[in-house]
Amino acid sequence: MSIKLAAYGDFINSITELHHLLAVRPVSPLVRRTDEAVQLENAVHRACLVLLVAHFEGFAKAALREYVDEICVVRPPARKLPPAFLELFTRDRIQEIASLPHGAERVHRTRKLFTAFSILWDEERSIDPQVISAKILARQMTSLKPDVLREAFALIGIDDIIASTTSHLFAAGLSVRVDIKLEEIVNKRNSIAHGDYSVKPTSTELEDYLEFFMAVGKAFSYSVEKAIADTCTLRSIV
């Protein structure tokens, strides 16, 4: 089974938007730039960093949704899925029921919980697409903070996506601590989004961040592709 995440291709295509934005910067290497030109460049760089983080966050959520989409097509037996994944949807429905006022509707949904969701815990039964949700899974990823990413991707059976990505990048010749780099970029993005004008990424920094996210995205894709293969086939991606 060969899986290539559409989400990664979409992320790479989204980078075009950043290049379009960068193209509006004034380019005059032999002429002293005016204050207005400097301000424009700073504004473009700040906007690019916010967009880059947003596009990568969208990619990560889309990758989680693709995992669920593939399961809904293949419908593997419950034993092939991580217990935390199964628990997520059961817990979500329990919380939904608990929020209801006492009455007939609450009783009805509680009864339905045991009839519809028991299939998730029967190891040999195929997964019913009606009791799992890509939206609920993607909702677990609330930011690009390393701990949030670890927890979200652990739900699909990836033990530590930050550590595995760091190893993946190292094998590709990139010696970088993914957790530290992510914290740096996300903190800068948050500062910009909250109106801190002192954060002004340079062209060199933007190029570095862009290359970093493209490499991390590729590593994430590999991990999710492998998780899909492990869940939906008898053999893993090698």
Side-chain angles (χ1 to χ4, degrees):
M1 183 179 189
S2 177
I3 306 121
K4 293 297 180 184
L5 290 190
Y8 183 63
D10 291 341
F11 170 66
I12 296 300
N13 291 335
S14 73
I15 299 304
T16 303
E17 184 178 23
L18 272 69
H19 293 310
H20 288 324
L21 189 55
L22 288 169
V24 308
R25 294 177 302 174
V27 181
S28 52
L30 301 179
V31 180
R32 184 181 179 276
R33 294 185 304 162
T34 64
D35 288 343
E36 182 179 346
V38 172
Q39 291 175 5
L40 174 58
E41 182 175 77
N42 287 336
V44 169
H45 288 174
R46 284 161 57 84
C48 280
L49 181 56
V50 172
L51 275 175
L52 178 58
V53 173
H55 283 317
F56 191 83
E57 185 171 336
F59 152 72
K61 290 184 177 183
L64 291 172
R65 288 194 293 269
E66 278 196 55
Y67 178 88
V68 176
D69 291 343
E70 192 68 24
I71 288 170
C72 289
V73 172
V74 178
R75 299 186 64 178
R79 61 181 167 76
K80 297 283 288 182
L81 287 138
F85 179 87
L86 304 176
E87 186 271 342
L88 168 66
F89 300 107
T90 309
R91 168 168 42 91
D92 187 80
R93 186 52 58 92
I94 290 173
Q95 291 172 339
E96 179 184 289
I97 293 170
S99 68
L100 294 173
H102 291 284
E105 180 62 17
R106 184 166 172 173
V107 171
H108 169 72
R109 293 201 182 189
T110 301
R111 182 183 296 113
K112 187 176 180 181
L113 171 70
F114 286 95
T115 57
F117 280 76
S118 62
I119 193 171
L120 288 177
W121 302 100
D122 185 339
E123 292 189 348
E124 299 307 320
R125 293 281 296 278
S126 295
I127 290 297
D128 182 352
Q130 294 188 16
V131 298
I132 61 176
S133 165
K135 181 178 179 180
I136 290 174
L137 178 61
R139 201 166 62 203
Q140 307 312 303
M141 210 208 78
T142 55
S143 78
L144 290 183
K145 291 288 188 178
D147 286 346
V148 173
L149 288 167
R150 286 189 183 98
E151 292 177 7
F153 284 88
L155 293 170
I156 64 172
I158 300 173
D159 183 44
D160 186 337
I161 196 163
I162 300 300
S164 64
T165 298
T166 297
S167 298
H168 192 97
L169 266 57
F170 183 78
L174 298 173
S175 182
V176 58
R177 280 282 302 274
V178 173
D179 53 350
I180 293 174
K181 194 78 168 181
L182 273 174
E183 289 279 4
E184 172 192 334
I185 297 171
V186 171
N187 286 340
K188 284 187 177 182
R189 176 267 172 199
N190 290 344
S191 295
I192 292 171
H194 288 92
D196 185 348
Y197 189 67
S198 68
V199 181
K200 301 172 183 178
T202 65
S203 293
T204 301
E205 286 175 327
L206 272 178
E207 182 178 341
D208 176 54
Y209 295 159
L210 181 55
E211 291 180 357
F212 170 76
F213 272 129
M214 290 176 69
V216 170
K218 187 174 182 179
F220 272 37
S221 292
Y222 174 82
S223 294
V224 176
E225 289 162 13
K226 186 176 184 300
I228 291 172
D230 288 343
T231 301
C232 297
T233 70
L234 296 178
R235 54 187 170 80
S236 300
I237 292 178
V238 294

